[in-house]
Amino acid sequence: SQTIHQWPATLVQPVGSPLSLECTVEGTSNPNLYWYRQAAGRGLQLLFYSVGIGQISSEVPQNLSASRPQDRQFILSSKKLLLSDSGFYLCAYKGSPPDTQYFGPGTRLTVL
Amino acid sequence: QKEVEQNSGPLSVPEGAIASLNCTYSDRGSQSFFWYRQYSGKSPELIMSIYSNGDKEDGRFTAQLNKASQYVSLLIRDSQPSDSATYLCAVDGSGNTPLVFGKGTRLSVIA
């Protein structure tokens, strides 16, 4: 069976500090992977998606970046956090049935 | 650009009643449809998927799809307070693109 992990679970960072969030998937190979952000009380905002190692599509131009150094690893980064980067960050993978996306437990980021 | 529309709610129903959640989508070519439940502070979890017109039942949940009207709904029978959550409707993207999500409907089941 497939499982998805994210860490850390919570993070409090000062404005201007760097960020690295990690997502890993087990039990499947070469999955499509996705990063979403959800601001408090808001819907899901797609940030990045990847269909393979080194292949990243960006949906929203901002101070965030993503990388996929290994088949089942997806990393979200920032060099300098903004207050507006606060939110709930969710990683997801595409599994079965067809087109189905499954979400990780999420990382709650607070930028002060 | 594909769009998925949901009433934001809150939708309040008494315990034991049927909750009806609705969703419309813009792309007539969409093939896959999903309902997710998201409890406050938690990540979305898949409730049901539906791919063909008609009804699909799973326990207390029934998904209904009408492709001609570009409409998908979720019925929750015998609603319980534990069903109180935000329900997200999602529609397939094209090829490798991600699902397109609605903003969600907040459901409150009153005991």
Side-chain angles (χ1 to χ4, degrees), chain A residues 58-79:
Chain A
S58 173
E59 291 294 306
V60 183
Q62 54 198 344
N63 67 320
L64 299 174
S65 62
S67 62
R68 186 168 177 176
Q70 299 180 39
D71 181 33
R72 288 169 286 177
Q73 184 185 31
F74 204 19
I75 296 173
L76 182 70
S77 303
S78 175
K79 292 182 179 178

Side-chain angles (χ1 to χ4, degrees), chain A residues 22-99:
Chain A
E22 190 165 343
C23 170
T24 59
V25 181
E26 297 176 356
T28 184
S29 60
N30 199 34
N32 287 2
L33 295 172
Y34 312 94
W35 277 112
Y36 291 86
R37 177 171 63 198
Q38 190 174 38
R42 306 294 291 273
L44 295 172
Q45 179 188 25
L46 177 67
L47 300 176
F48 301 95
Y49 69 95
S50 171
V51 300
I53 294 174
Q55 300 179 65
I56 308 293
S57 295
S58 173
E59 291 294 306
V60 183
Q62 54 198 344
N63 67 320
L64 299 174
S65 62
S67 62
R68 186 168 177 176
Q70 299 180 39
D71 181 33
R72 288 169 286 177
Q73 184 185 31
F74 204 19
I75 296 173
L76 182 70
S77 303
S78 175
K79 292 182 179 178
K80 287 187 177 183
L81 284 169
L82 307 173
L83 286 173
S84 57
D85 291 323
S86 292
F88 192 36
Y89 287 80
L90 292 157
C91 181
Y93 71 95
K94 181 186 277 191
S96 58
D99 293 326

Side-chain angles (χ1 to χ4, degrees), chain B residues 36-54:
Chain B
Y36 290 80
R37 177 177 62 199
Q38 186 176 23
Y39 291 115
S40 181
K42 301 295 185 182
S43 62
E45 56 179 325
L46 179 71
I47 298 176
M48 293 191 70
S49 56
I50 186 167
Y51 300 93
S52 54
N53 276 331

Side-chain angles (χ1 to χ4, degrees), chain A residues 38-44 88 90 103, chain B residues 6-12 19 21-22 34-48 61 74 76 80-90 101-109:
Chain A
Q38 190 174 38
R42 306 294 291 273
L44 295 172
F88 192 36
L90 292 157
F103 289 86
Chain B
Q6 294 182 256
N7 189 320
S8 61
L11 173 66
S12 294
L21 304 163
N22 305 314
F34 305 88
W35 283 100
Y36 290 80
R37 177 177 62 199
Q38 186 176 23
Y39 291 115
S40 181
K42 301 295 185 182
S43 62
E45 56 179 325
L46 179 71
I47 298 176
M48 293 191 70
F61 298 96
L74 179 70
I76 307 175
Q80 300 297 310
S82 58
D83 295 324
S84 298
T86 296
Y87 289 80
L88 302 171
C89 174
F101 284 86
K103 296 189 186 307
T105 298
R106 189 156 57 93
L107 172 66
S108 178
V109 180

Side-chain angles (χ1 to χ4, degrees), chain B residues 13 25 33-34 43 61 69 82 85 94 100:
Chain B
V13 299
Y25 58 94
F33 306 86
F34 305 88
S43 62
F61 298 96
S69 301
S82 58
S94 54
V100 180

Side-chain angles (χ1 to χ4, degrees), chain B residues 62-83:
Chain B
T62 299
Q64 299 175 318
L65 175 61
N66 183 327
K67 289 185 178 180
S69 301
Q70 296 175 239
Y71 178 91
V72 58
S73 64
L74 179 70
L75 301 179
I76 307 175
R77 290 182 301 281
D78 188 24
S79 295
Q80 300 297 310
S82 58
D83 295 324

